[in-house]
């Protein structure tokens, strides 16, 4: 191998390794934080509220009529 090829090969290897070394330095923006826990499930507001309101209305009317 002639000295010219050794010089070219050495130069090429030095350039390749230096570029890959610079790429490993890091920097830039840090990764975003992980998402928080999900919110707790809400209470279902379906027939339970309507039944409770009807029972309260019935109880109130009964109390008023009994006096």
């Amino acid at each position: 191998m002639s000295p010219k090829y050794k010089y070219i090969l050495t130069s090429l290897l030095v350039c390749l390794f230096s570029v890959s070394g610079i790429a490993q330095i890091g920097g830039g923006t840090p990764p975003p934080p992980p998402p928080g826990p999900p919110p707790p499930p809400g209470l279902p507001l379906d027939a339970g509220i309507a039944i409770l309101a009807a029972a309260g209305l019935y109880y109130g009317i009964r109390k008023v009529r009994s006096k």
Side-chain angles (χ1 to χ4, degrees):
M1 194 177 241
S2 70
K4 182 179 177 182
Y5 290 120
K6 285 182 183 180
Y7 177 74
I8 292 173
L9 181 63
T10 304
S11 298
L12 184 64
L13 289 175
V14 167
C15 288
L16 288 175
F17 285 122
S18 65
V19 169
S20 67
I22 291 172
Q24 299 298 321
I25 289 176
T29 60
L43 296 175
L45 298 177
D46 51 347
I49 296 294
I51 292 171
L52 184 62
L57 186 62
Y58 173 75
Y59 180 73
I61 291 173
R62 198 172 115 205
K63 277 294 202 183
V64 168
R65 286 195 178 175
S66 69
K67 284 187 179 184

